[in-house]
Protein backbone atom coordinates (compact mmCIF):
# COMPACT_ATOMS: atom_id res chain seq x y z
CA UNK A 1 0.00 0.00 0.00
CA UNK A 2 1.56 3.29 -1.14
CA UNK A 3 2.00 6.48 0.86
CA UNK A 4 -0.45 8.30 -1.42
CA UNK A 5 -3.13 5.71 -0.67
CA UNK A 6 -2.52 6.06 3.07
CA UNK A 7 -2.81 9.82 2.69
CA UNK A 8 -6.09 9.33 0.83
CA UNK A 9 -7.37 7.19 3.70
CA UNK A 10 -6.51 9.95 6.15
CA UNK A 11 -8.22 12.60 4.01
CA UNK A 12 -11.36 10.49 3.67
CA UNK A 13 -11.39 9.83 7.41
CA UNK A 14 -11.22 13.58 8.03
CA UNK A 15 -13.91 14.26 5.42
CA UNK A 16 -16.19 11.78 7.18
CA UNK A 17 -15.47 13.42 10.52
CA UNK A 18 -16.22 16.87 9.13
CA UNK A 19 -19.42 15.55 7.58
CA UNK A 20 -20.66 14.58 11.05
CA UNK A 21 -21.08 18.30 11.78
CA UNK A 22 -23.98 18.29 9.34
CA UNK A 23 -26.00 16.40 11.93
CA UNK A 24 -27.75 17.84 15.01
CA UNK A 25 -27.04 19.88 17.02
CA UNK A 26 -24.84 21.66 14.44
CA UNK A 27 -26.87 21.07 11.27
CA UNK A 28 -24.21 22.51 8.93
CA UNK A 29 -25.74 20.59 6.03
CA UNK A 30 -23.73 22.52 3.43
CA UNK A 31 -20.61 20.65 4.61
CA UNK A 32 -21.92 17.55 2.87
CA UNK A 33 -21.62 19.25 -0.50
CA UNK A 34 -17.86 19.20 0.07
CA UNK A 35 -17.44 15.83 1.79
CA UNK A 36 -19.64 13.75 -0.51
CA UNK A 37 -18.37 15.44 -3.64
CA UNK A 38 -14.77 14.67 -2.66
CA UNK A 39 -15.69 11.10 -1.71
CA UNK A 40 -17.13 10.62 -5.20
CA UNK A 41 -14.09 12.27 -6.79
CA UNK A 42 -11.81 9.88 -4.91
CA UNK A 43 -13.82 6.96 -6.28
CA UNK A 44 -13.61 8.27 -9.83
CA UNK A 45 -9.85 8.78 -9.49
CA UNK A 46 -9.51 5.24 -8.15
CA UNK A 47 -11.50 3.93 -11.12
CA UNK A 48 -9.32 5.81 -13.59
CA UNK A 49 -6.20 4.48 -11.86
CA UNK A 50 -7.52 0.90 -11.86
CA UNK A 51 -7.32 0.63 -8.08
CA UNK A 52 -8.13 -2.71 -6.49
CA UNK A 53 -11.46 -3.67 -4.99
CA UNK A 54 -9.90 -3.43 -1.54
CA UNK A 55 -9.02 0.22 -2.10
CA UNK A 56 -12.59 1.01 -3.09
CA UNK A 57 -13.86 -0.71 0.03
CA UNK A 58 -11.35 1.06 2.27
CA UNK A 59 -12.21 4.46 0.76
CA UNK A 60 -15.79 4.03 1.90
CA UNK A 61 -14.81 2.41 5.18
CA UNK A 62 -12.47 5.23 6.23
CA UNK A 63 -15.04 7.86 5.27
CA UNK A 64 -17.70 6.02 7.27
CA UNK A 65 -15.34 5.45 10.20
CA UNK A 66 -14.58 9.16 10.42
CA UNK A 67 -18.29 9.92 10.14
CA UNK A 68 -19.51 7.52 12.80
CA UNK A 69 -16.66 7.82 15.28
CA UNK A 70 -17.41 11.55 15.50
CA UNK A 71 -21.17 11.25 15.95
CA UNK A 72 -21.50 8.12 18.10
CA UNK A 73 -19.09 9.16 20.86
CA UNK A 74 -22.04 9.85 23.15
CA UNK A 75 -22.56 6.10 23.57
CA UNK A 76 -19.33 5.92 25.59
CA UNK A 77 -20.49 8.82 27.77
CA UNK A 78 -23.64 6.92 28.69
CA UNK A 79 -21.46 4.04 29.95
CA UNK A 80 -19.60 6.17 32.49
CA UNK A 81 -22.48 6.25 34.96
CA UNK A 82 -21.96 2.66 36.07
CA UNK A 83 -18.53 1.19 36.74
CA UNK A 84 -19.77 -2.22 35.61
CA UNK A 85 -20.07 -0.96 32.04
CA UNK A 86 -16.86 1.06 31.75
CA UNK A 87 -15.03 -1.87 30.13
CA UNK A 88 -17.39 -1.43 27.18
CA UNK A 89 -16.21 2.13 26.49
CA UNK A 90 -13.41 1.14 24.05
CA UNK A 91 -15.88 -1.08 22.22
CA UNK A 92 -18.41 1.73 21.91
CA UNK A 93 -15.79 4.25 20.74
CA UNK A 94 -13.94 2.10 18.21
CA UNK A 95 -15.69 -1.18 17.47
CA UNK A 96 -19.22 0.08 16.85
CA UNK A 97 -18.17 2.80 14.34
CA UNK A 98 -15.72 0.36 12.73
CA UNK A 99 -18.47 -2.20 12.21
CA UNK A 100 -21.07 0.23 10.90
CA UNK A 101 -18.50 1.69 8.51
CA UNK A 102 -18.44 -1.66 6.71
CA UNK A 103 -21.74 -0.64 5.12
CA UNK A 104 -20.12 2.44 3.60
CA UNK A 105 -17.26 0.27 2.38
CA UNK A 106 -19.68 -2.12 0.71
CA UNK A 107 -21.43 0.80 -0.97
CA UNK A 108 -18.24 2.23 -2.47
CA UNK A 109 -17.11 -1.24 -3.52
CA UNK A 110 -20.35 -1.85 -5.42
CA UNK A 111 -20.11 1.61 -6.97
CA UNK A 112 -16.75 0.64 -8.51
CA UNK A 113 -18.49 -1.53 -11.09
CA UNK A 114 -20.74 1.27 -12.35
CA UNK A 115 -18.45 4.30 -12.44
CA UNK A 116 -17.83 5.87 -15.82
CA UNK A 117 -16.09 9.14 -16.64
CA UNK A 118 -18.18 9.33 -19.82
CA UNK A 119 -21.49 8.93 -18.00
CA UNK A 120 -20.97 11.11 -14.98
CA UNK A 121 -24.63 11.84 -14.23
CA UNK A 122 -25.60 8.17 -14.23
CA UNK A 123 -22.52 7.41 -12.12
CA UNK A 124 -23.55 10.00 -9.53
CA UNK A 125 -27.10 8.67 -9.45
CA UNK A 126 -25.93 5.06 -9.15
CA UNK A 127 -23.55 6.01 -6.33
CA UNK A 128 -26.41 7.76 -4.53
CA UNK A 129 -28.79 4.86 -5.11
CA UNK A 130 -26.32 2.23 -3.93
CA UNK A 131 -25.39 4.18 -0.80
CA UNK A 132 -29.04 4.87 0.05
CA UNK A 133 -29.95 1.18 -0.37
CA UNK A 134 -27.02 0.18 1.86
CA UNK A 135 -28.18 2.76 4.40
CA UNK A 136 -31.62 1.15 4.32
CA UNK A 137 -30.06 -2.28 4.87
CA UNK A 138 -28.05 -0.83 7.76
CA UNK A 139 -31.34 0.28 9.28
CA UNK A 140 -32.82 -3.24 9.33
CA UNK A 141 -30.00 -5.80 9.49
CA UNK A 142 -29.13 -7.29 12.90
CA UNK A 143 -32.21 -5.60 14.40
CA UNK A 144 -31.26 -2.33 12.68
CA UNK A 145 -29.12 0.73 13.26
CA UNK A 146 -31.00 3.53 11.46
CA UNK A 147 -29.19 6.33 13.31
CA UNK A 148 -27.44 9.25 11.67
CA UNK A 149 -28.72 8.92 8.14
CA UNK A 150 -27.47 11.59 5.76
CA UNK A 151 -31.04 12.87 5.59
CA UNK A 152 -30.77 13.96 9.21
CA UNK A 153 -28.63 16.85 7.95
CA UNK A 154 -31.89 18.65 7.27
CA UNK A 155 -33.44 17.89 10.66
CA UNK A 156 -33.31 21.60 11.45
CA UNK A 157 -35.01 22.51 8.16
CA UNK A 158 -38.60 21.70 9.05
CA UNK A 159 -39.94 23.13 5.80
CA UNK A 160 -38.06 20.77 3.50
CA UNK A 161 -38.66 17.81 5.82
CA UNK A 162 -42.37 17.99 5.00
CA UNK A 163 -41.63 15.96 1.88
CA UNK A 164 -40.81 12.90 4.02
CA UNK A 165 -44.52 12.50 4.76
CA UNK A 166 -44.94 11.71 1.07
CA UNK A 167 -41.79 9.87 0.01
CA UNK A 168 -40.52 8.53 3.34
CA UNK A 169 -37.21 8.93 5.16
CA UNK A 170 -35.11 6.58 3.05
CA UNK A 171 -36.31 8.06 -0.24
CA UNK A 172 -35.46 11.48 1.15
CA UNK A 173 -32.07 10.07 2.12
CA UNK A 174 -31.52 9.11 -1.53
CA UNK A 175 -32.49 12.62 -2.58
CA UNK A 176 -30.03 14.15 -0.08
CA UNK A 177 -27.09 12.00 -1.17
CA UNK A 178 -27.80 12.85 -4.82
CA UNK A 179 -27.99 16.53 -3.96
CA UNK A 180 -24.77 16.56 -1.96
CA UNK A 181 -22.86 14.68 -4.67
CA UNK A 182 -24.18 16.74 -7.59
CA UNK A 183 -21.36 19.38 -7.54
CA UNK A 184 -19.02 16.69 -8.88
CA UNK A 185 -20.81 17.05 -12.23
CA UNK A 186 -19.46 20.59 -12.51
CA UNK A 187 -15.97 19.37 -11.71
CA UNK A 188 -15.80 16.25 -13.88
CA UNK A 189 -17.66 17.25 -16.99
CA UNK A 190 -17.58 20.18 -19.38
CA UNK A 191 -20.63 19.02 -21.26
CA UNK A 192 -23.15 21.87 -21.09
CA UNK A 193 -26.06 19.47 -21.15
CA UNK A 194 -24.79 17.66 -18.04
CA UNK A 195 -24.20 20.95 -16.24
CA UNK A 196 -27.68 22.22 -17.12
CA UNK A 197 -29.21 19.06 -15.65
CA UNK A 198 -27.29 19.63 -12.43
CA UNK A 199 -28.33 23.28 -12.29
CA UNK A 200 -31.97 22.33 -12.88
CA UNK A 201 -31.72 19.78 -10.05
CA UNK A 202 -30.32 22.37 -7.64
CA UNK A 203 -32.93 24.96 -8.65
CA UNK A 204 -35.72 22.44 -8.14
CA UNK A 205 -34.35 21.64 -4.68
CA UNK A 206 -34.25 25.29 -3.69
CA UNK A 207 -37.77 25.76 -5.04
CA UNK A 208 -39.08 22.99 -2.79
CA UNK A 209 -37.36 24.63 0.17
CA UNK A 210 -38.69 28.13 -0.61
CA UNK A 211 -42.24 26.93 -1.24
CA UNK A 212 -42.17 24.84 1.93
CA UNK A 213 -41.07 27.77 4.03
CA UNK A 214 -43.96 29.98 2.91
Amino acid sequence: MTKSEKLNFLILFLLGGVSSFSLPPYNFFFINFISFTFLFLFLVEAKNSNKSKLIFFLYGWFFGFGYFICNLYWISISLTFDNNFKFLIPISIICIPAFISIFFGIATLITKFFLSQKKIISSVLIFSLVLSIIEYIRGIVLSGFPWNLIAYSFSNQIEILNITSIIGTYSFNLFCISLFTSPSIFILRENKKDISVCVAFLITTMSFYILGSQ
Side-chain angles (χ1 to χ4, degrees), residues 17 34 37 53 65 169:
I34 300 174
T37 294
K53 296 177 182 178
F65 188 57
T169 301

Side-chain angles (χ1 to χ4, degrees), residues 151 163 186 197:
I163 196 174
F186 291 95
V197 171

Side-chain angles (χ1 to χ4, degrees), residues 110-137:
I110 295 174
T111 302
K112 165 184 167 59
F113 302 102
F114 300 97
L115 285 177
S116 174
Q117 182 77 38
K118 297 181 179 179
K119 299 179 180 179
I120 190 61
I121 290 182
S122 60
S123 295
V124 168
L125 293 177
I126 290 173
F127 165 75
S128 303
L129 179 62
V130 170
L131 183 54
S132 63
I133 291 175
I134 294 298
E135 286 281 79
Y136 171 75
I137 294 174

Side-chain angles (χ1 to χ4, degrees), residues 7-78:
L7 178 60
N8 289 344
F9 295 153
L10 176 60
I11 293 172
L12 287 165
F13 173 81
L14 294 176
L15 284 172
V18 169
S19 192
S20 68
F21 285 94
S22 66
L23 301 176
Y26 306 102
N27 296 111
F28 299 143
F29 67 87
F30 56 85
I31 291 176
N32 286 333
F33 284 105
I34 300 174
S35 58
F36 277 88
T37 294
F38 272 95
L39 171 60
F40 184 78
L41 293 177
F42 269 99
L43 296 178
V44 172
E45 187 276 333
K47 180 72 173 183
N48 294 337
S49 302
N50 294 318
K51 298 288 187 181
S52 66
K53 296 177 182 178
L54 177 61
I55 295 299
F56 273 84
F57 174 83
L58 290 176
Y59 275 3
W61 187 88
F62 273 99
F63 183 90
F65 188 57
Y67 179 71
F68 288 112
I69 202 172
C70 291
N71 57 45
L72 294 179
Y73 64 89
W74 59 268
I75 296 178
S76 62
I77 297 176
S78 66

Side-chain angles (χ1 to χ4, degrees), residues 73-96:
Y73 64 89
W74 59 268
I75 296 178
S76 62
I77 297 176
S78 66
L79 297 173
T80 61
F81 294 95
D82 191 329
N83 291 329
N84 294 324
F85 295 108
K86 284 188 176 181
F87 75 95
L88 294 174
I89 291 178
I91 297 177
S92 65
I93 294 177
I94 303 297
C95 295
I96 292 178

